[in-house]
Amino acid sequence: MKNHRMLIFLIAAAMFAACNSEPPIEDQLNGSWKNGDGNIIRFADGAKAAVGQEGLSGEGECRFEVRQDTIVVTMLPDGPSDTYVIYRMRLENDTLRIASLERHAPNSVRTLTVEQYAQQAGRPLYKLDFTRIQKKK
């Protein structure tokens, strides 16, 4: 009888875990996101992403990877410069929040928290949050 109860408990726990499990972060990201400044980021399968600006044509190529609970987005250089920027973000429900950014230039790396960046740019923090505007179909 004791083993029977344990088996029922294990089955119930497994069913509860299956009902509450979310899809992987990579799957939750697929689609387009926009922040309060009109910056758009589009995530696609295969760690591919693109960035653009609302109202402007063209996109810049970038890539992303998920490291535990952090989304690392690398903006690739789009010209002869070797300079690139890495954004570290977190997914909170349907909001992507930037935690920090790194600017990599030849012989230098500069890291800023999102708070430092917002202060330097004169932008409120909420304008830097990305919200979903379109899910991938």
Side-chain angles (χ1 to χ4, degrees), residues 2-51:
K2 189 175 183 181
N3 288 339
H4 180 68
R5 285 186 196 156
M6 181 61 92
L7 181 61
I8 290 173
F9 173 76
L10 290 174
I11 290 171
M15 289 174 52
F16 179 76
C19 292
N20 284 332
S21 65
E22 292 186 9
I25 291 176
E26 293 88 341
D27 293 345
Q28 294 178 58
L29 290 175
N30 281 339
S32 298
W33 302 73
K34 182 173 77 168
N35 74 5
D37 286 334
N39 296 307
I40 297 172
I41 186 165
R42 185 175 42 82
F43 293 96
D45 292 331
K48 294 179 184 175
V51 292

Side-chain angles (χ1 to χ4, degrees), residues 91-112:
L91 179 62
E92 297 175 11
N93 300 314
D94 258 2
T95 302
L96 275 173
R97 293 207 160 88
I98 299 171
S100 66
L101 16 71
E102 294 175 2
R103 184 177 184 273
H104 292 254
N107 302 316
S108 72
V109 175
R110 183 165 183 218
T111 303
L112 295 171

